[in-house]
Amino acid sequence: MVGCRLNQAEIEAMASSLAVRGFEITENPENADYIVINTCCVTEKAAADSRKMIRRYARQTQAKLIATGCWTTLFEKDARKMLPNLHLVHNSAKDAFGNTFAVPNVPECHKHFDAERQSRPLLGNRQRTRAFVKVQDGCNNSCSYCATQLARGPSKSRNAQEILLQIQDLVQSGVKEAVLCGVQLGSWGKEHRDELSSLVKLILDRTEIARLRLSSIEPWDITPNLIALWENERLMPHLHIPVQSGAAKILRTMRRPGNPGSYLNMLRGIRAFLPEMAISTDLIVGFPGETDADFCETMAFVDEACFSRGHVFQFSAVRGTDASNFDLQVPSIVKKERSAKLRNRLSESQNAYNQSWLGKVVPVLFEAQQNSVASGHSPQYQRVQVLSDENLQNRILNVRLSKLRADLFEGELVSA
């Protein structure tokens, strides 16, 4: 799998749809009869990684390869040229993948079909603590650099009752945390004059999931109704808000709604309600036409925003997007220099945020244990590890954060 959390949610759903039809899921590609690859084209690097993964499995295994996702959907001709026997599944057919794959290819698998487990998530060691739940697909924006809207189309919301049933099933399976995912998560329900806050409230009211977390959400989709829901401690206090740039001119060229001032006001509003909210972001450097002055504006924005962490991407022109044809493309060496400076600034911001947590006690969901080292995440999605001879995996326990090493907290268990 290449790409975002939504891609991860989709690949897990496809695996589950096959498992309930009698297929065995293996973690070893060499043992597989079929390998499903969920591709991405959010950047040219992601597209290249997708192609590399297809070629690697074709070279290293005898399995039949099935490719789906944004890159194969948007660049179908290119994908078909790669391998003559590559089977392609359009993005629009992902949700029905179990039926469309099983019926024509392996009809006898239906004798194993377990109807009661049709929507049950596939749970291995990695998924047992946290699961990604797709609630929405597509996007209503038309950002000039992004191919995702081209590959997935306009926003489409998943039915709330289906989402509830899936999360209730996750709880029964032992999952402690559900992460709501989508291309434009905050657009959930808008085509039915509804909004994401009503879905989040419904999940908190009607399920017993211990932790609910939101994946990436656009700045303009954060509403007062949504912010008010953080009164509930089961809604994890972390928002990932991709602002992409802190320069007004660049945001306009990107065709991003809003401006740096409105984004900062939104951040202040969130922190006025919940001061300890962790807010992370994505930023693009070297967008066509970005001058030194524009970059300085972004650096100043980051200083004022006080992000808990951030990801920096060097602009890469994705074929088919408007930005790929823009004039004033920024030289690679300039993009590299700006990227290093911005990453350093975000690292300082992250360190300052994390330093403020030293000595505090936080509940940690432990997701892995190797020998006597147990590791997991705080509500603010900070990485935490403790020493314990007891297996703590999939338990939520209080930890005092005593030491910070890079972006990893070391702590001690605290009795309730």
Side-chain angles (χ1 to χ4, degrees), residues 207-249:
T207 77
E208 296 181 358
I209 192 73
R211 289 184 166 196
L212 185 65
R213 196 180 290 277
L214 305 185
S215 65
S216 179
I217 183 169
E218 299 288 3
W220 52 88
D221 286 329
I222 298 172
T223 65
N225 287 340
L226 183 63
I227 294 174
L229 294 177
W230 267 276
E231 287 182 339
N232 192 316
E233 293 183 353
R234 291 160 57 212
L235 183 58
M236 296 295 96
H238 169 230
L239 280 169
H240 185 76
I241 307 172
V243 298
Q244 307 301 8
S245 177
K249 184 193 77 179

Side-chain angles (χ1 to χ4, degrees), residues 95-111:
D95 291 342
F97 179 77
N99 288 325
T100 57
F101 176 72
V103 174
N105 292 284
V106 194
E108 64 272 17
C109 75
H110 284 280
K111 66 187 178 183

Side-chain angles (χ1 to χ4, degrees), residues 109-134:
C109 75
H110 284 280
K111 66 187 178 183
H112 303 294
F113 182 71
D114 182 351
E116 292 184 358
R117 295 184 67 245
Q118 185 169 3
S119 64
R120 187 167 301 170
L122 182 71
L123 298 175
N125 289 335
R126 180 173 56 85
Q127 295 96 337
R128 192 164 61 86
T129 60
R130 177 185 296 113
F132 299 98
V133 179
K134 177 180 176 179

